[in-house]
Amino acid sequence: QAQLVESGGGLVQAGGSLRLSCAASGRTFSIFSSYAMGWFRQAPGKEREFVAAIPWSGANTYYADSMKGRITISRDNAKNTVYLQMNSLKPEDTAVYYCAASYSTTYYDPATWAYWGQGTQVTVSS
């Protein structure tokens, strides 16, 4: 009924860039444009943390302070897809990156997001 599939992760050298994509499918997302979309990440031994979010309207964007200025979140409602462009990557950005969707959310708290993808690994070498 609701599926989020991330892609675009991989191994990159410090200073490099990656573009993550998250495609939404299923009856739940028949009106994809109604959902806020977000990205979170989780490194080994750490809690899942907020990275970026964009509301249904796309009018605003929200970013984690640790990555602000290096990332851009965007959405294409015609393709039911949300993107995360990441530049100037650092080794500390290494984590599994998760896509999330919710009709209503406070953005920063992962507990307020209803749907999650399986994650895509991002590894930044020094």
Side-chain angles (χ1 to χ4, degrees), residues 72-85:
T72 302
I73 187 172
S74 61
R75 64 189 298 160
D76 185 338
N77 289 338
K79 296 182 178 179
N80 283 15
T81 300
V82 64
Y83 305 97
L84 183 69
Q85 177 67 43

Side-chain angles (χ1 to χ4, degrees), residues 19-35:
R19 188 195 195 203
L20 306 184
S21 300
C22 172
S25 62
R27 183 178 298 180
T28 298
F29 295 119
S30 60
I31 308 179
F32 176 76
S33 59
S34 298
Y35 288 83

Side-chain angles (χ1 to χ4, degrees), residues 30-76:
S30 60
I31 308 179
F32 176 76
S33 59
S34 298
Y35 288 83
M37 300 298 297
W39 288 95
F40 287 76
R41 68 183 183 182
Q42 189 165 17
K46 295 187 177 181
E47 294 187 350
R48 192 167 298 190
E49 64 176 2
F50 172 81
V51 173
I54 185 167
W56 66 270
S57 66
N60 299 300
T61 53
Y62 304 89
Y63 298 109
D65 289 342
S66 61
M67 299 193 79
K68 194 174 294 183
R70 300 188 292 122
I71 59 173
T72 302
I73 187 172
S74 61
R75 64 189 298 160
D76 185 338

Side-chain angles (χ1 to χ4, degrees), residues 4 6 8 12 16 18 24 26 34 37 47 50 53 55 66-67 70 74 76 90 101 105 108 124-126:
L4 298 172
E6 302 96 335
V12 64
L18 283 174
S34 298
M37 300 298 297
E47 294 187 350
F50 172 81
S66 61
M67 299 193 79
R70 300 188 292 122
S74 61
D76 185 338
K90 305 174 182 180
T105 176
Y108 299 100
V124 184
S125 63
S126 56

